[in-house]
Amino acid sequence: MLAFSTMWLQIVTVCFMKWWKANGLDSDRFLRQSGLFVLILIITHPLTLTLAQKYNGAGLPVQSLYAYLPAMQHVFITYALVALTIFLASEVASHLQGLPFIKKSASFIEYANYIGFFLVFIHSLSIGTNLQGAWFRDIWWFYGVTALLMLAYKAYQGMQSSTSSI
């Protein structure tokens, strides 16, 4: 939950980057530090489940992760694994920024991270034990809807700047 909340803050930061810079705030530093924090948390989450499943005799990953839930919910584990792969690939790419291929792929990597965010959103709402009721679920919906609105705003800004340069 903490990783997802931090990812939401990263989306807020990226969408309002001009405001950060105009007010002399170091958004890049925040994004680097919070990115490391999120990375640690998103690795810890499946690792903890894997260790618990191994202890319970469910075997090794990936099948042990799928053994945690009924078959009809396996798709939500797949969403999480795809998101994890996206985030890990993005982290590797961030350390290889000097390579021409990575520079050309920067916007693809950014959009892939947004897809990862929404995959985690669906994963969490569907099988997250803390999100099955009460106010946590409302917060999650707030995160999802506002992230979608902010990304739509960011896309709109991008379209405006590209049409004004023509």
Side-chain angles (χ1 to χ4, degrees):
M1 291 173 58
L2 191 53
F4 190 79
S5 299
T6 306
M7 285 190 287
W8 180 82
L9 284 173
Q10 290 174 323
I11 290 174
V12 171
T13 302
V14 167
C15 289
F16 298 102
M17 189 74 74
K18 289 179 185 177
W19 181 87
W20 280 80
K21 300 225 186 264
N23 288 292
L25 300 170
D26 190 359
S27 57
D28 294 334
R29 181 175 178 220
F30 169 75
L31 290 171
R32 275 191 315 276
Q33 290 177 346
S34 63
L36 178 60
F37 179 65
V38 168
L39 180 64
I40 290 167
L41 292 175
I42 64 172
I43 290 172
T44 302
H45 176 62
L47 183 61
T48 303
L49 178 59
T50 298
L51 293 174
Q53 288 294 86
K54 175 74 173 140
Y55 177 76
N56 290 333
L60 297 171
V62 172
Q63 67 266 33
S64 67
L65 297 175
Y66 285 105
Y68 182 71
L69 295 168
M72 62 189 246
Q73 293 182 319
H74 286 182
V75 67
F76 303 116
I77 295 292
T78 302
Y79 289 172
L81 291 173
V82 170
L84 179 62
T85 302
I86 289 169
F87 297 142
L88 291 176
S90 176
E91 184 63 24
V92 169
S94 75
H95 293 287
L96 302 173
Q97 288 178 3
L99 297 175
F101 173 75
I102 300 298
K103 285 182 180 181
K104 290 179 183 177
S105 303
S107 61
F108 172 79
I109 293 167
E110 180 181 355
Y111 293 120
N113 277 305
Y114 299 144
I115 291 168
F117 175 87
F118 286 105
L119 288 172
V120 171
F121 174 76
I122 295 166
H123 162 82
S124 302
L125 279 176
S126 302
I127 61 175
T129 55
N130 291 328
L131 298 177
Q132 297 312 311
W135 57 278
F136 278 137
R137 191 171 186 85
D138 296 337
I139 290 172
W140 230 249
W141 276 106
F142 171 80
Y143 284 158
V145 170
T146 56
L148 193 59
L149 291 172
M150 284 184 281
L151 292 174
Y153 174 69
K154 184 178 183 318
Y156 173 76
Q157 284 180 319
M159 288 186 301
Q160 292 293 73
S161 65
S162 68
T163 58
S164 65
S165 63
I166 295 178

